[in-house]
DNA sequence: ATGCCTTACGTTATACGTAATTATT
DNA sequence: AATAATTACGTATAACGTAAGGCAT
């Protein structure tokens, strides 16, 4: 059986052009390398080198052998790299949803159950979820419509409801429930990456949103301006639970969504842990 | 660096499904194999097996690893085979000519000089010689016209002359030299694979040839029938040199050919040994 | 004289086998 | 009980380094 170490030594000799130089590069004594190359030739039953008293050089066969040995070594290296990649993919649970809050909730739950696994969260357009799941790019996805497809598991995960959070000093804060006309002409703060909610709020033309990317800045604005903050029953906004603030549900059928957890059949074990 | 032996052990375990079975197949003790697989995992830093107290099985990663290890092993095996093929090609001197006798003569000379090299003789149409040499399929060729081409060495090799050999009892045997009209209507025996000579004799319409493939049969026929035998100055026919037989040259310009030895520039060393 | 390869020799490290241990069927 | 894997321990082989030798530039 061929020996990889030996092959590596051989290409090093081929590249340096001498035993002594190669030996130094390999952190090996020259005599050891000399014997190793003699063994290689003996095991192959072929002459790779042209030996003169004081000089060693590759013969025509040796040149060819070194060339292809390089390729073989590259493939061996790629074998290990591929293996590592595959292992990482196996230990990474890739999840995707069109809304941030359920995604975070799921991520937290997975981490609770599998503290050693790597979780890759991704937020994508609704249309990209199912194809991604089918092709194995995602292990779990969260959709807002149930999926009925062979090979795909799907079940109700949780419900998300849009809320308006504001200081108690706000004119609307006193109401027991918001009405639709309260929102008309109202200006609110909102998180920029609302995912699916962005589309669902488009019909509320009278509601003006000031969007913010940074959650810290959003917090500052909410506290300093006193403007209502658009949030949700799952969204752990930076001002959530603060004293002196109240949350009121948005009065609309569009403000409630049910999310469904989907996985491939082969991931039934994982799926059943969360559904 | 990856170890091939270890990889082979791994695929054997994968194929047999147990350490003990694989150990037996590998002529190794079970504990040795167990440790070897532990080393493999440790060196990769990956878990390939699902270990239960009494049973070992491949994990998902292990299945993948075994699959690609098989491929890698195949490629390693092919590497050695390719090398052997290449070595054989290097040590084989492939020669070609359009006439058998000079080919045999050259072959004998090469064998004298390089007793260890393998000589592959081939007889081909004249038109195929030069292309074969250019493309490296032949190391040496013999042509009957000198080649003047860049990259090709060419020099006079030897002369071949057609003879008619017959028993001293034959009517023509007494003549000091044959004349053209002697051949008209004459029936002679000939070796079938004359190569180039076959074409060159076509103008001698009056000469009838009885061709024979087998040299032993040709000998029998020549001796029993007493018919003249068409031979050449190089052709060591089975009846050559026998007592009671004489050889007379065929009286024609067409019955003499000069052969030229050709080789590629890269084979100058070989070429100069014979030219 | 210096550089480079080979041979010789003693040593170490690595992988092996035997035996013992544990757990599963 | 029998089978199968792991752990423990002593051993043997194979590769290493140091030292010595020979032959070139």
């Amino acid at each position: 059986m061929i020996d990889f170490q030996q092959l590596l030594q051989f290409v090093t000799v081929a590249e340096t052009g001498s035993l002594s130089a190669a030996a130094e590069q390999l952190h090996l004594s020259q005599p050891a390398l000399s014997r190793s190359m003699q063994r290689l030739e003996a095991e192959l039953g072929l002459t790779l080198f042209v030996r003169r008293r004081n000089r060693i050089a590759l013969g025509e066969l040796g040149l060819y052998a070194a060339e292809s040995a390089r390729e073989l070594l590259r493939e061996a290296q790629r074998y290990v790299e591929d293996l590592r990649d595959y292992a990482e993919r196996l230990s990474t649970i890739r999840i995707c949803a069109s809304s941030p809050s359920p995604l975070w909730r799921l991520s937290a739950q997975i981490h609770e159950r599998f503290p050693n696994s790597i979780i890759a969260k991704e937020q994508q357009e609704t249309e990209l979820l199912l194809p991604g799941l089918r092709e194995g790019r995602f292990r779990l996805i969260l959709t807002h419509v149930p999926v009925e497809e062979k090979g795909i598991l799907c079940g109700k995960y949780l419900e998300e409801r849009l809320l308006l959070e504001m200081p108690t000093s706000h004119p609307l804060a006193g109401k027991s429930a918001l009405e639709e006309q309260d929102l008309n002409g109202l200006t609110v703060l909102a998180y920029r990456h609302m995912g699916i909610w962005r589309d669902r709020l488009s019909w509320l033309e009278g509601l003006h949103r000031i969007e913010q990317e940074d959650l810290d800045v959003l917090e500052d604005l909410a506290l300093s301006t006193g403007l209502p903050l658009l949030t949700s029953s799952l969204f752990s906004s930076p001002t959530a639970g603060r004293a002196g603030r109240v949350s009121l549900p948005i009065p609309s059928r569009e403000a409630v969504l049910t999310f469904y957890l989907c996985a491939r059949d082969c991931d039934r074990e994982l799926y059943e842990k969360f559904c």
Side-chain angles (χ1 to χ4, degrees), chain A residues 80-99:
Chain A
V80 183
E81 285 164 6
D82 278 7
L83 221 54
R84 295 232 158 84
D85 281 1
Y86 194 89
E88 193 183 315
R89 257 182 295 159
L90 278 181
S91 67
T92 302
I93 299 174
R94 224 167 268 281
I95 62 179
C96 192
S98 55
S99 177

Side-chain angles (χ1 to χ4, degrees), chain A residues 38-177:
Chain A
Q38 286 168 12
R39 271 204 312 277
L40 179 62
E41 286 181 305
E43 282 162 12
L44 288 171
L46 298 170
T47 303
L48 302 173
F49 298 99
V50 179
R51 289 164 208 279
R52 296 193 185 79
R53 298 299 314 177
N54 199 20
R55 192 88 209 147
I56 203 171
L58 290 181
E60 192 168 348
L61 180 61
L63 287 167
Y64 176 81
E67 186 70 27
S68 16
R70 255 186 286 272
E71 284 177 37
L72 190 58
L73 285 171
R74 261 196 294 276
E75 295 193 41
Q77 202 172 334
R78 254 197 32 203
Y79 170 72
V80 183
E81 285 164 6
D82 278 7
L83 221 54
R84 295 232 158 84
D85 281 1
Y86 194 89
E88 193 183 315
R89 257 182 295 159
L90 278 181
S91 67
T92 302
I93 299 174
R94 224 167 268 281
I95 62 179
C96 192
S98 55
S99 177
S101 303
L103 188 62
W104 287 57
R105 177 68 58 102
L106 179 60
S107 167
Q109 280 195 325
I110 294 173
H111 182 71
E112 210 171 287
R113 293 267 195 163
F114 305 104
N116 293 322
S117 67
I118 303 157
I119 302 162
K121 293 181 287 290
E122 202 172 315
Q123 189 175 322
Q124 282 290 354
E125 305 288 314
T126 309
E127 302 78 42
L128 300 175
L129 296 180
L130 205 46
L133 182 68
R134 287 199 202 97
E135 293 162 19
R137 278 181 289 117
F138 308 128
R139 304 277 297 278
L140 295 173
I141 60 170
L142 291 172
T143 61
H144 64 276
V145 284
V147 173
E148 290 193 25
E149 186 176 314
K150 212 182 142 197
I152 305 286
L153 302 165
C154 184
K156 196 172 167 183
Y157 181 58
L158 50 64
E159 215 174 54
E160 184 172 21
R161 182 184 311 271
L162 281 194
L163 306 174
L164 216 50
E165 184 200 290
M166 62 200 87
T168 45
S169 59
H170 194 277
L172 292 176
K175 302 191 72 164
S176 60

Side-chain angles (χ1 to χ4, degrees), chain A residues 200-254:
Chain A
R200 298 188 71 83
L201 286 174
S202 59
W203 67 278
L204 272 175
E205 288 176 5
L207 188 70
H208 304 301
R209 299 195 304 272
I210 301 172
E211 295 190 343
Q212 243 311 315
E213 187 140 10
D214 190 297
L215 288 175
D216 290 332
V217 177
L218 190 64
E219 176 181 11
D220 285 345
L221 284 175
L223 294 176
S224 61
T225 64
L227 283 175
L229 177 64
L230 192 61
T231 175
S232 94
S233 55
L234 298 176
F235 189 60
S236 39
S237 85
T239 56
R242 293 228 182 194
R245 293 183 72 85
V246 292
S247 293
L248 296 174
I250 298 219
S252 157
R253 280 197 312 112
E254 298 288 319

Side-chain angles (χ1 to χ4, degrees), chain A residues 171-187:
Chain A
L172 292 176
K175 302 191 72 164
S176 60
L178 291 176
E179 289 167 67
E180 205 165 311
Q181 62 260 36
D182 292 332
L183 304 178
N184 204 7
L186 191 69
T187 296

